[in-house]
Amino acid sequence: MQFTRINDITIHYHVIGAVADKPVLVFINSLGTDFRIWRDVVVRLADDFAIVLYDKRGHGLSDIGQVPYSIEDHATDLAGLLDRLAVKRTFVCGLSVGGLIAQSLYQRRPDLVRALVLSDTAHKIGTAEMWDARIAAIEAGGIEAVADGVLERWFTPAFRRPENLAFAGYRNMLVRQPTPGYVGTCAAIRDADYTEAARKIAVPVLCVVGDQDGSTPPDLVRSTARLIPGARLEVIRDAGHIPCVEQPEAMTRALRSFFDYVMQGDPPNE
Ligand SMILES: O=C(O)CC1=CCC(=O)O1
């Protein structure tokens, strides 16, 4: 297990492979999850990429710190982690709020970003009213109070079968996140709008979305892809909001084909 101190926060992270020897790929997880969600994709890519995983502040084994947060707080943590690891220019794959963090990282530190994968995310997610209602519900009843609704948007009915142990496990992951970290990140999402920033992205971008994503539905992700010059869009079949969990094979295929396309037109990482 690896821990480091960034911006007065202890960050839990994991590096697979040598960042000096292979193209580097960093994954940023979504609201209410930790970096274990990437496992089934990571095992498929680990021969070809050095992979950086981490728990954003307020999630997993990382510290909570001061709440509420901004997306920029999360992006500054990630920039600090990449600097600490001497990663210069990386493929960045962010899921949901992780995609907002990826967009913020690009805005603040474009030198760190070789290409972006924006999975089940948007230039803006939800409305202030929606996030304030979720925060109020959690303050009254904990994450448990919103968990069933969240899980319906995360996963397809096929995955939500009661006998599916993975479904039970991911429910545990959601309800066991620290409440202040979860609520603090809801506030960060509420306050984030990358509409103008999206129009200025000048690195290759792949937008990915599950065809049954109930949180950032395909039409929203499609409209984000249209804002970003040259962005590609890939719809993953039979997946909800977290295709890396529900359809890791298809997600890996989408990532590989995009990375191959980027690397063909791009000199190797220094
Ligand atoms: O929790 C949800 O509804 C889905 C989600 C929105 C932002 C994020 O990271 O997850």
Side-chain angles (χ1 to χ4, degrees):
M1 259 198 250
Q2 294 154 309
F3 296 90
T4 190
R5 194 97 179 135
I6 309 279
N7 301 326
D8 289 330
I9 301 273
T10 297
I11 293 286
H12 176 221
Y13 72 102
H14 187 49
V15 181
I16 298 161
V19 297
D21 297 343
K22 289 179 178 170
V24 182
L25 167 58
V26 58
F27 287 106
I28 317 171
N29 51 283
S30 56
L31 176 67
T33 66
D34 62 49
F35 70 58
R36 286 173 288 189
I37 59 170
W38 300 105
R39 195 201 69 146
D40 291 348
V41 169
V42 166
V43 295
R44 290 168 165 85
L45 292 173
D47 284 346
D48 302 311
F49 293 85
I51 295 173
V52 178
L53 302 158
Y54 80 109
D55 292 336
K56 64 185 170 299
R57 61 168 72 192
H59 285 71
L61 299 187
S62 292
D63 276 356
I64 297 168
Q66 287 278 97
V67 292
Y69 315 131
S70 65
I71 295 297
E72 290 69 32
D73 291 332
H74 285 298
T76 305
D77 292 344
L78 176 55
L81 176 63
L82 294 174
D83 285 342
R84 180 74 42 89
L85 298 173
V87 170
K88 298 273 181 259
R89 212 169 138 252
T90 174
F91 292 107
V92 178
C93 176
L95 172 66
S96 201
V97 68
L100 295 173
I101 297 166
Q103 292 171 74
S104 175
L105 180 75
Y106 174 72
Q107 193 179 39
R108 306 173 72 82
R109 290 286 308 274
D111 59 299
L112 291 174
V113 179
R114 184 173 185 182
L116 288 169
V117 179
L118 303 178
S119 174
D120 303 79
T121 188
H123 50 105
K124 177 163 177 53
I125 302 177
T127 61
E129 294 71 31
M130 186 202 109
W131 289 111
D132 283 340
R134 191 182 301 194
I135 290 167
I138 293 169
E139 281 170 351
I143 297 176
E144 191 64 54
V146 301
D148 290 340
V150 167
L151 289 160
E152 277 188 23
R153 295 186 292 271
W154 276 12
F155 296 121
T156 62
F159 193 86
R160 284 187 270 121
R161 295 181 331 274
E163 69 275 18
N164 180 7
L165 297 183
F167 176 60
Y170 285 109
R171 188 182 206 288
N172 288 343
M173 181 184 280
L174 170 64
V175 300
R176 291 177 189 174
Q177 296 305 316
T179 301
Y182 186 99
V183 165
T185 300
C186 288
I189 300 167
R190 177 195 62 200
D191 299 338
D193 185 345
Y194 286 90
T195 310
E196 286 315 309
R199 298 183 208 278
K200 296 184 189 139
I201 296 177
V203 289
V205 175
L206 171 68
C207 294
V208 182
V209 64
D211 64 351
Q212 295 167 58
D213 183 339
S215 301
T216 53
D219 280 351
L220 174 63
V221 178
R222 192 170 290 113
S223 67
T224 300
R226 286 195 182 124
L227 280 178
I228 301 171
R232 297 174 156 207
L233 175 72
E234 187 93 38
V235 180
I236 308 280
R237 291 179 59 180
D238 302 321
H241 187 58
I242 314 189
C244 57
V245 165
E246 241 182 311
Q247 297 297 342
E249 187 65 47
M251 182 70 186
T252 306
R253 224 179 297 119
L255 291 173
R256 264 193 195 286
S257 133
F258 175 63
F259 296 150
D260 286 349
Y261 151 79
V262 173
M263 287 191 282
Q264 273 163 21
D266 195 24
N269 221 356
E270 60 231 23

